[in-house]
Amino acid sequence: MRTIHSRKRTAALGAAVTAVLALALTACGGDGGGTKSAGPADNAAKSAASAGASQQSGSGASSTSPDSATTGGSAKKVTSDTGTSQSGATKTGTATGGNTSDSYAYKHPCKSDDLSVRVYAREGSATQQVIEVNNTGPNACGLSYFPRVSLGSASAQDHSGDVTPLVPSGLGGAPAYPVKPKTAAIAVIDLNPSGADGALTWINELNVLADGDHMPNAEQLNFPLGPDVKVLNPKLGLYSGTIAEAVSSMKQADAKS
């Protein structure tokens, strides 16, 4: 019986101690939580948050920041500095590095897309017009010995009465007149070589086909001559390299074109 009574007292004492400790813990914790000690779970969460903050402020954050993406990217620099400039340089080289030999020109007639044609009055002459055919293509090309030319009225419905000039006779030799890139073939026409009376006054247009041997009539170009033009027995020279040579050739015109 004594043993049982002693155990009861011990149990009661233990319960009292537990109650006192519980009251002490409650008083320390409170509802505000400002002084509450963190448990193991809280410590782990804080450690993870601290580690995350460290990573964001380190090298990883700088590599993904907007400024770094804008100024860094070597791939963008390579594309803008080498891609475009190398492509442009290649195109320029191709445009200026064509075949410029006469033999190539003999086998390749000029195309109208590669030609620029001008007509203008020869300085110092009241009756002569210069026909200038420029090769704007990358390769040399061949033209007929002289342009196909006719003179008529811009308002005429029927051009069967147009006037054609005399040209030099006895032609032969090379199969074409070669024109190198960035070079002009020049021909001169004199509308009234003798200056005699009786000239035609209704003519106000010069029609030019740069290559009468290979180009269709649809590629003929029309150039106005003005209202005071007088045409009588016109003469046309062969294609030449200079105006002076073209004038000399024109003076030898003696045959119908």
Side-chain angles (χ1 to χ4, degrees), residues 6-242:
S6 177
R7 289 179 179 175
K8 287 183 178 180
R9 290 181 64 185
T10 302
L13 181 58
V17 172
T18 301
V20 171
L21 290 175
L23 288 174
L25 289 173
T26 301
C28 291
D31 292 335
T35 59
K36 182 179 179 180
S37 299
D42 291 338
N43 288 332
K46 286 184 179 180
S47 297
S50 176
S54 266
Q55 290 178 356
Q56 288 180 359
S57 62
S59 59
S62 62
S63 64
T64 57
S65 66
D67 291 341
S68 177
T70 301
T71 60
S74 61
K76 289 184 179 179
K77 185 176 181 181
V78 168
T79 301
S80 62
D81 289 351
T82 63
T84 303
S85 61
Q86 287 182 355
S87 177
T90 301
K91 289 180 180 178
T92 302
T94 301
T96 58
N99 196 316
T100 62
S101 67
D102 288 353
S103 59
Y104 183 89
Y106 295 150
K107 298 178 182 178
H108 295 83
C110 294
K111 298 179 181 179
S112 58
D113 290 343
D114 292 330
L115 299 177
S116 173
V117 180
R118 297 176 57 208
V119 170
Y120 52 91
R122 182 196 170 202
E123 185 176 357
S125 174
T127 60
Q128 295 177 7
Q129 296 284 324
V130 179
I131 301 171
E132 181 182 296
V133 180
N134 292 275
N135 181 2
T136 61
N139 301 308
C141 61
L143 292 170
S144 51
Y145 286 161
F146 52 86
R148 180 183 294 174
V149 173
S150 65
L151 297 149
S153 172
S155 60
Q157 298 295 323
D158 181 8
H159 288 276
S160 60
D162 285 2
V163 176
T164 58
L166 297 176
V167 295
S169 60
L171 303 179
Y177 179 81
V179 190
K180 298 183 184 300
K182 315 302 180 186
T183 304
I186 297 173
V188 170
I189 182 172
D190 196 327
L191 304 178
N192 189 0
S194 64
D197 294 334
L200 303 174
T201 58
W202 54 269
I203 293 176
N204 60 11
E205 186 176 65
L206 176 66
N207 307 309
V208 178
L209 186 62
D211 187 339
D213 292 343
H214 300 96
M215 293 181 179
N217 292 334
E219 296 183 359
Q220 175 178 277
L221 302 176
N222 313 109
F223 298 90
L225 292 174
D228 300 324
V229 172
K230 297 179 180 180
V231 177
L232 182 65
N233 300 323
K235 290 184 176 183
L236 173 69
L238 305 178
Y239 277 129
S240 305
T242 66

